[in-house]
Amino acid sequence: MAQRFYSTNSPGEFVDLKEAVLRSLPGDNGLYMPENIPVLENTFWAEWRDWPFEELAYRIVSPLFDGAVPEGPLREMVADAVNFDAPLVGIGGRTHILELFHGPSLAFKDFGARFMARLMGWLTRSSGAGEAAPGQDLTVLVATSGDTGGAVASAFHGVPETQVVVLYPSGKVSGLQEKQLTTLGDNITALEVAGSFDDCQRLVKAAFLDRELARARNLTSANSINIARLVPQTFYYFHAARQLPEGVQPVFVVPSGNFGNLTAGLLSNLMGLRVKQFIAATNMNDVVPAYLESGVYEPRPSLATISNAMDVGAPSNFARMLDLHDHQHGLMAGRIVGFRFDDEQTRAEIREIRANTGYVIEPHGAVGCLAAREWQGVHPGDDVVVLETAHPSKFLDVMEEELGQGAVEIPDRLACLAAREKVAIEMPPSEEEFLRWLRA
Ligand SMILES: *Cc1c(COP(=O)(O)O)cnc(C)c1O
């Protein structure tokens, strides 16, 4: 039977892949999880080190979906989504950087967004969209405060029968981020909302609450907690491990905010990937490291830091982490160790890594390197893989403050955006106006 999914709040009720992906969020406010986590078979382990990356990815997702998508379309989706590498770069000793920024928006979120886009498109086309009007394009709504919108817009660009509406707060995203949202055109429409990120989220919510509109326009969300974004993030854990010498069990350091990335690591481990230890590295938004130490979970409002993609005070994937450990603190604390570092330490680490190794690391990766160093102080024989979640050019201000002008190369695909013309529709922060526009 094809893989089914349950909500972390209703472990006895199941939906199919299509409902889990197109609904994104269960009605009970839990998060979708696969009913069965398959352990990969000997036939996988006999050859996994030799396959091209897209074949490796297919061999992981195939047992996980267990027939929910036929082989042909699934292979096509994977090949199309994972069309860039995730190289492991040694920076001396037993420290390795897993570069996850070689995709189109220069952040690891490309893996999740690109796969989700293709899967959503296929699910909609394959059998009509549930209760929606037949022949109606899928409309994906996404509110962004910066980085997610770029990955999602680029991922859905050109996906057939799919329209994307990105809502962003006017004047509150960086110039390059705005260009990533507003210069693609075609099936990507940018709405420049005269308000805050919270206003953008409120408008999106209003659209989903209008059941009739939601059905007529076939609305869905590209929310970061969609299970379809988690699955493809397992691929690069396997890919990292196979770039180490045979038999080495890596320690993975994961710079974390909403903990989707780390949760994908746990899934990989449960599917049979041998991992010595997971390390959750955070900035001062440290509710998970605090939980791992004390057993007490206390979400709180987030603090602003220089590693701002990790400024999360109530990480949404914590529910999945609890679920995977049967809500047992001891189990989770055995598999994951947490470390937190402040901005001053992070800035110093950016300078030190460059001085000692020549490698240029951005603030999120630097938090990871600090954690790696702390771990290796006690376990000098371990091979540690630090996930580098974005390209340094995305955090140019901090990088130039620490390393000086010109220290960071700006990749062509980001640099060429500067010359492109912004196209956005201005929208007041009014639910009525937004719904009227969406109906038209
Ligand atoms: C989203 C993001 C993170 C945090 O990832 P989670 O899966 O939310 O823990 C870390 N670094 C960068 C650059 C990001 O964009």
Side-chain angles (χ1 to χ4, degrees):
M1 190 170 54
Q3 180 72 270
R4 301 189 300 176
F5 299 83
Y6 61 90
S7 161
T8 49
N9 285 344
S10 313
E13 294 166 29
F14 299 95
V15 299
D16 62 8
L17 177 71
K18 180 172 174 176
E19 182 162 354
V21 171
L22 294 184
R23 271 186 76 174
S24 200
L25 201 64
D28 63 9
N29 250 331
L31 295 180
Y32 284 119
M33 287 294 278
E35 177 184 15
N36 296 305
I37 298 173
V39 177
L40 293 164
E41 295 172 6
N42 289 340
T43 51
F44 175 93
W45 300 109
E47 293 179 77
W48 73 298
R49 300 178 71 91
D50 303 324
W51 289 318
F53 195 9
E54 63 178 70
E55 178 72 17
L56 175 74
Y58 170 74
R59 301 286 185 133
I60 296 164
V61 71
S62 169
L64 198 52
F65 280 4
D66 201 12
V69 179
E71 175 169 353
L74 188 56
R75 278 188 178 278
E76 215 171 289
M77 256 177 242
V78 167
D80 215 23
V82 185
N83 63 354
F84 52 91
D85 197 15
L88 193 65
V89 178
I91 59 165
R94 292 177 176 273
T95 309
H96 315 267
I97 306 290
L98 182 64
E99 295 185 342
L100 298 176
F101 53 71
H102 293 276
S105 85
L106 304 169
F108 83 92
K109 291 187 174 72
D110 284 325
F111 282 94
R114 289 176 65 78
F115 183 76
M116 174 176 64
R118 281 147 189 82
L119 179 59
M120 275 186 170
W122 184 83
L123 288 170
T124 312
R125 284 194 305 280
S126 65
S127 47
E131 21 176 82
Q136 172 69 49
D137 280 7
L138 186 67
T139 299
V140 180
L141 297 183
V142 58
T144 182
S145 56
D147 258 3
T148 301
V152 167
S154 137
F156 279 92
H157 188 217
V159 172
E161 289 151 73
T162 307
Q163 301 296 323
V164 177
V165 180
V166 185
L167 294 86
Y168 72 97
S170 180
K172 296 194 176 71
V173 304
S174 79
L176 275 178
Q177 281 175 332
E178 184 172 42
K179 294 275 178 154
Q180 285 188 316
L181 308 174
T182 58
T183 58
L184 288 168
D186 303 323
N187 62 328
I188 311 294
T189 304
L191 290 191
E192 182 174 4
V193 176
S196 63
F197 172 61
D198 291 333
D199 289 319
C200 298
Q201 281 199 305
R202 181 169 51 78
L203 298 190
V204 168
K205 215 167 248 171
F208 282 102
L209 287 176
D210 187 332
R211 298 284 305 259
E212 205 173 311
L213 175 66
R215 197 161 37 219
R217 287 300 308 264
N218 208 356
L219 293 186
T220 190
S221 127
N223 206 301
S224 69
I225 40 84
N226 195 302
I227 186 74
R229 282 179 63 167
L230 211 57
V231 168
Q233 291 178 203
T234 57
F235 304 160
Y236 49 72
Y237 282 92
F238 289 85
H239 188 48
R242 70 181 188 164
Q243 292 177 67
L244 291 167
E246 206 154 353
V248 170
Q249 276 190 50
V251 173
F252 281 108
V253 179
V254 191
S256 294
N258 263 322
F259 283 80
N261 212 355
L262 192 116
T263 302
L266 298 174
L267 271 180
S268 311
N269 190 209
L270 292 170
M271 289 180 79
L273 181 69
R274 297 182 66 180
V275 175
K276 183 160 186 217
Q277 182 74 44
F278 286 99
I279 297 180
T282 72
N283 57 34
M284 294 315 282
N285 295 284
D286 66 343
V287 296
V288 172
Y291 167 80
L292 293 167
E293 287 153 14
S294 70
V296 182
Y297 181 61
E298 288 179 303
R300 52 167 193 260
S302 64
L303 305 166
T305 76
I306 58 167
S307 46
N308 56 24
M310 309 199 296
D311 294 349
V312 179
S316 46
N317 282 290
F318 188 66
R320 286 190 168 120
M321 294 166 68
L322 281 176
D323 192 75
L324 288 174
H325 295 102
D326 296 327
H327 291 257
Q328 292 186 45
H329 170 258
L331 272 183
M332 201 197 294
R335 190 181 267 137
I336 312 167
V337 173
F339 294 109
R340 87 277 282 159
F341 302 94
D342 65 22
D343 281 356
E344 211 173 308
Q345 293 170 298
T346 308
R347 285 178 183 276
E349 184 72 2
I350 291 170
R351 295 192 302 268
E352 215 155 302
I353 296 266
R354 219 255 315 242
N356 294 341
T357 73
Y359 195 84
V360 175
I361 199 147
E362 55 71 59
H364 305 79
V367 169
C369 286
L370 283 161
R373 206 123 59 89
E374 191 137 337
W375 179 263
Q376 283 169 321
V378 188
H379 305 88
D382 285 359
D383 278 276
V384 178
V385 172
V386 177
L387 276 59
E388 173 54 313
T389 47
H391 190 276
S393 62
K394 295 198 91 173
F395 304 92
L396 206 55
D397 293 356
V398 176
M399 298 310 297
E400 295 196 331
E401 280 161 25
E402 298 314 318
L403 303 181
Q405 280 212 335
V408 177
E409 241 176 90
I410 301 183
D412 288 345
R413 57 196 184 288
L414 199 59
C416 75
L417 282 179
R420 299 256 280 276
E421 197 192 338
K422 159 188 162 182
V423 179
I425 295 172
E426 290 180 19
M427 181 65 60
S430 145
E431 295 169 19
E432 220 167 85
E433 289 274 324
F434 175 58
L435 295 185
R436 189 172 322 136
W437 178 83
L438 208 50
R439 274 191 203 99

